[in-house]
Amino acid sequence: MGRHKKGHALPEPSVAQVGAWCIVVLAAMLLFPGFLRASEITALEIKDAISPATASFIVENIDKAVSSNRVAIIIQLDTPGGLDTAMREIIQKEMNAQIPVIVYVSPPGARAASAGAIITLAADVAAMAPGTNIGAAHPVGIGGGPEGEKGESPTMTEKVTNDAVAYVRSIARERGRNEQWAQDAVKKSISTPAHEALRLKVIDVVAANMDDLLKQLDGRTIKKNGRTFMLNTKDARVVTEEMGLISRS
């Protein structure tokens, strides 16, 4: 009868080795919280005028996304515009957020007008769906009436317009976007469809839907506030937050 060869038993790891591996895994979990799970992205749906309530909703959810270790936040935008103070609060938050902020004008038929156009320009990535438009950012008179009547004086209107032009040009310059278009959107109230906005370097991406957007964003490098982010969005899970009626009031 033949002899059976005995297999060589693998040495069992020592307590020290097991402990070392546990430390490595724990360190990886602390340094890279998403490495054991699919990347997650927060998506905010804004389908209304830009108001203090809108600003609070966006600011709070950016903070929540950062604390939840989301890889990015997407603001899905459809707005006719709104208040200057609320717009500036949103822009300050998106430009100083600790994660990339993407503004996506969608769905088809949506618009980023007035304040919405400037919020889009300020994004780390500006995207639009086909059949959308951006622009018409001329400041609206506080008084609500024609110049020289119930509205602002021509001098005040000029001051407000010049301030808006300087503001939007500085944002476009910071984001590497078309400064002349940004100025014309304020001074001449021009409005531009998605594919033309892409050609003019007003935006970065035209995406048919959210899946297409995530596919195009995947692997994109974003430099922001002294940090470099590599977007990992292809298989990311999108967590959508909507403004409720209470939030709008």
Side-chain angles (χ1 to χ4, degrees):
M1 296 178 65
R3 295 181 180 178
H4 295 285
K5 293 183 179 180
K6 294 182 179 180
H8 295 284
L10 295 175
E12 293 188 4
S14 67
V15 174
Q17 288 175 320
V18 172
W21 277 109
C22 288
I23 291 173
V24 170
V25 172
L26 181 59
M29 291 176 67
L30 292 173
L31 293 173
F32 307 99
F35 95 114
L36 288 179
R37 65 172 186 271
S39 299
E40 293 183 336
I41 295 173
T42 294
L44 307 180
E45 291 190 357
I46 307 298
K47 301 178 181 178
D48 208 341
I50 302 302
S51 66
T54 310
S56 295
F57 175 74
I58 291 174
V59 168
E60 289 171 6
N61 276 282
I62 289 178
D63 286 338
K64 188 188 298 183
V66 171
S67 64
S68 300
N69 297 307
R70 301 284 161 80
V71 296
I73 188 162
I74 298 173
I75 301 173
Q76 191 170 345
L77 188 63
D78 178 11
T79 182
L83 295 177
D84 179 82
T85 52
M87 173 196 74
R88 290 178 186 246
E89 183 179 356
I90 293 168
I91 288 172
Q92 285 186 16
K93 192 65 179 181
E94 66 179 312
M95 295 187 77
N96 292 285
Q98 297 176 40
I99 57 174
V101 178
I102 298 102
V103 173
Y104 180 35
V105 185
S106 67
R111 59 179 168 166
S114 191
I118 305 176
I119 289 169
T120 304
L121 284 174
D124 296 302
V125 180
M128 297 173 69
T132 60
N133 63 283
I134 182 173
H138 188 84
V140 177
I142 295 173
E147 294 178 9
E149 295 180 15
K150 296 181 181 179
E152 299 171 352
S153 68
T155 300
M156 181 58 71
T157 299
E158 183 180 5
K159 286 182 178 179
V160 171
T161 300
N162 289 340
D163 176 69
V165 167
Y167 184 60
V168 75
R169 284 187 69 103
S170 68
I171 289 172
R173 185 181 303 116
E174 176 67 20
R175 291 298 188 236
R177 301 202 168 102
N178 190 326
E179 290 184 50
Q180 186 60 52
W181 181 93
Q183 175 175 307
D184 290 343
V186 173
K187 296 194 75 170
K188 300 179 181 179
S189 293
I190 64 170
S191 186
T192 305
H195 286 284
E196 182 72 3
L198 180 65
R199 186 184 70 80
L200 292 173
K201 297 183 179 180
V202 175
I203 63 170
D204 309 299
V205 174
V206 173
N209 49 46
M210 185 64 76
D211 287 341
D212 185 28
L213 176 64
L214 296 178
K215 186 181 298 184
Q216 293 193 53
L217 292 176
D218 191 60
R220 183 181 289 264
T221 299
I222 294 174
K223 294 183 178 180
K224 180 175 185 177
N225 302 328
R227 298 176 61 190
T228 299
F229 298 86
M230 175 73 78
L231 291 178
N232 178 21
T233 59
K234 185 177 180 181
D235 299 313
R237 187 172 77 92
V238 178
V239 181
T240 302
E241 302 285 350
E242 298 182 17
M243 280 189 71
L245 293 176
I246 295 178
S247 299
R248 296 171 191 269
S249 59

